[in-house]
Amino acid sequence: MSAASHSPIASAASAASAASAAPLDRYAVAGNPVAHSRSPEIHAAFAAQTAQTLVYERLLCPLDDFEATIRGFVAAGARGCNVTVPFKFEAFNLAQRLTPRARLAGAVNTLRFDAAADGGWLGDNTDGAGLVADIERNAARPLRGLRVLLIGAGGASAGVLGSLISARPAEIRIVNRSPDKARALVDSHRAWADEHGVALSAGALDDAAPKGPHEVLINGTSASLSGAGVPLPDTGAPVLAPGGLAVDMMYGPSAAVFLDWADAQSGPGGARRDGLGMLVEQAAEAFLVWRGVRPDSAPVLAELRRKLESAA
């Protein structure tokens, strides 16, 4: 038997074929663009692993017609969907019910299309749970008691901040090009941070170094995706502590510039994570919301990592 036949992703095709005679529950990743999304292969692998009968698609939504596209998908028998850029805030408004973490984030990346008799559509946000799982389990870096610097105050940071607070680091500082936006994010999470004993503060991008160094550095901006690489100004002062962990929410080659820069700061013993682990872990959390079973993310992440490295 070939090595490929053991692949958790490759095995999904045979599982889908075997289940072709059964009615298929439909799911999708909804966004614009979605052609690049790895979510279909991730969820196909999860379905094969857990013996779930479903199909997972890509759903391209017109920028001005997200709601109608989703409602059409539901009318065609869909059970749920993941929501990616730029529709997470619209998805929040479509949900009749919200999980506490979705309400705190103010954005939804997972919809479950429950019937009106069961309370209506459920909106959740699994991004933060995915990030924390990747940091604490895959990178083996418990966050409790650490100092965390979160760069960016947009939707990506809003989606993960609540879960980061739940992990009880000593401090989370948010820096952003617009300090007012960082302060607004702090204000919306202040009560949650106080409840968990986490010091929460905000500042401008050039405020990062004077308040450092931090044990964990998370890039929640789109700088890597746009090719800008490092969103922080070069002040000459270290931002990441020796042996610290750097995380970029983007994955693949686009994250390399930021992570290479962080490596130079952390030195020996430092660690780096791109966003691939977060992607797989948040997908596992969404799968649990939909199907009531948590898949084993480790083999799926390993396979995706192997494929990315082979392509590079």
Side-chain angles (χ1 to χ4, degrees), residues 42 46 126-127 129-135 137-139 247-252 273-284 297 300-302 304-305 308:
I42 293 171
F46 287 163
T126 65
D127 284 334
L131 176 62
V132 171
D134 189 53
I135 290 173
R137 184 167 60 245
N138 299 335
V247 181
D248 196 316
M249 291 193 204
M250 303 299 169
Y251 66 88
R273 303 290 297 177
D274 69 2
L276 189 64
M278 174 183 170
L279 175 68
V280 174
E281 297 295 350
Q282 67 80 27
S297 57
V300 178
L301 175 56
L304 279 180
R305 180 69 66 195
L308 276 179

Side-chain angles (χ1 to χ4, degrees), residues 209-300:
K211 301 292 184 178
H214 304 78
E215 288 94 356
V216 179
L217 174 62
I218 302 171
N219 183 13
T221 73
S222 59
S224 295
L225 191 62
S226 65
V230 181
L232 295 177
D234 183 8
T235 64
V239 174
L240 184 61
L245 170 68
V247 181
D248 196 316
M249 291 193 204
M250 303 299 169
Y251 66 88
S254 62
V257 174
F258 174 80
L259 294 175
D260 288 346
W261 169 81
D263 279 349
Q265 294 211 352
S266 61
R272 56 191 280 166
R273 303 290 297 177
D274 69 2
L276 189 64
M278 174 183 170
L279 175 68
V280 174
E281 297 295 350
Q282 67 80 27
E285 190 77 9
F287 196 89
L288 174 64
V289 171
W290 293 327
R291 310 299 296 184
V293 59
R294 182 183 295 279
D296 182 3
S297 57
V300 178

